[in-house]
Amino acid sequence: MGWLSRHSLAISSIVFLAASVLLAVVLGYAGLVAVSGLAAGTALASVLTELAVPYLPIVALLLVLVVVSGVVATWSALRRLSIPKSERFGTAAERIEQRYPVVDGFGISEFVSPPEPTTEEALADLKRRYVDGELDEAAFEHKLDRLVATESVDDVRAERERRAVLDESSNGSSR
């Protein structure tokens, strides 16, 4: 993670506040000039025309800075939130990403899916389930053989994805 991405929230917040204050000052000054011009009896159209030439590019630039820095600050803050992770959220996010490709670029499913267990964690969970009586000896040995046969976390992940695809295809054909 680079320096810029680590400090994006602080930088974008500072830019947002500075641009917002400058925008308020520029708009306030333009409003004062417009009101004083109207009080002096000048037509509103000529006052606005005289203000538009020097101030419109400045207002447009500040408005773009406010919007962009606000979006970046919001996105940076949301990325730092403690988001609950569960298989249900991960599956739902993956389905949304498949259905709407625009959302896929944000990688939401990676944020809400729990991390894949390591082989050691899977083995410890299997042992715990056997000791607690959730699995009988035959089921324990079968699952242990499958776990030992997979040599890495990538193999476990590939097996889960294969099962998910098979489950989806069997659910889709039964509808």
Side-chain angles (χ1 to χ4, degrees):
M1 187 186 272
W3 182 88
L4 188 62
S5 62
R6 281 194 316 268
H7 296 91
S8 63
L9 180 61
I11 293 168
S12 58
S13 297
I14 291 168
V15 170
F16 178 78
L17 289 173
S20 297
V21 168
L22 285 174
L23 183 62
V25 167
V26 168
L27 289 177
Y29 179 73
L32 257 155
V33 170
V35 168
S36 64
L38 289 175
T42 311
L44 180 62
S46 68
V47 171
L48 291 179
T49 305
E50 289 178 24
L51 284 174
V53 173
Y55 293 109
L56 193 58
I58 295 170
V59 168
L61 176 68
L62 289 173
L63 203 57
V64 167
L65 277 174
V66 165
V67 169
V68 170
S69 62
V71 168
V72 171
T74 303
W75 181 251
S76 297
L78 287 175
R79 290 189 70 174
R80 286 173 170 72
L81 286 178
S82 176
I83 299 173
K85 298 180 183 286
S86 75
E87 288 292 327
R88 282 183 150 176
F89 287 152
T91 304
E94 286 172 4
R95 287 186 180 149
I96 289 171
E97 289 173 345
Q98 288 172 355
R99 189 165 193 175
Y100 304 104
V102 173
V103 178
D104 190 31
F106 294 112
I108 296 170
S109 62
E110 295 171 13
F111 289 116
V112 296
S113 296
E116 293 291 329
T118 63
T119 306
E120 293 81 20
E121 291 170 340
L123 184 59
D125 184 54
L126 186 62
K127 288 177 182 177
R128 181 199 54 79
R129 290 175 59 200
Y130 177 66
V131 169
D132 290 346
E134 293 177 28
L135 298 173
D136 63 357
E137 188 174 348
F140 172 75
E141 288 180 9
H142 175 73
K143 290 181 181 288
L144 183 62
D145 288 341
R146 273 191 23 208
L147 185 62
V148 172
T150 58
E151 296 175 0
S152 70
V153 175
D154 292 334
D155 293 337
V156 173
R157 184 178 295 133
E159 176 65 23
R160 283 188 181 165
E161 290 175 359
R162 186 184 69 76
R163 277 189 270 138
V165 168
L166 291 175
D167 288 345
E168 284 183 12
S169 65
S170 66
N171 290 339
S173 62
S174 63
R175 289 181 186 171

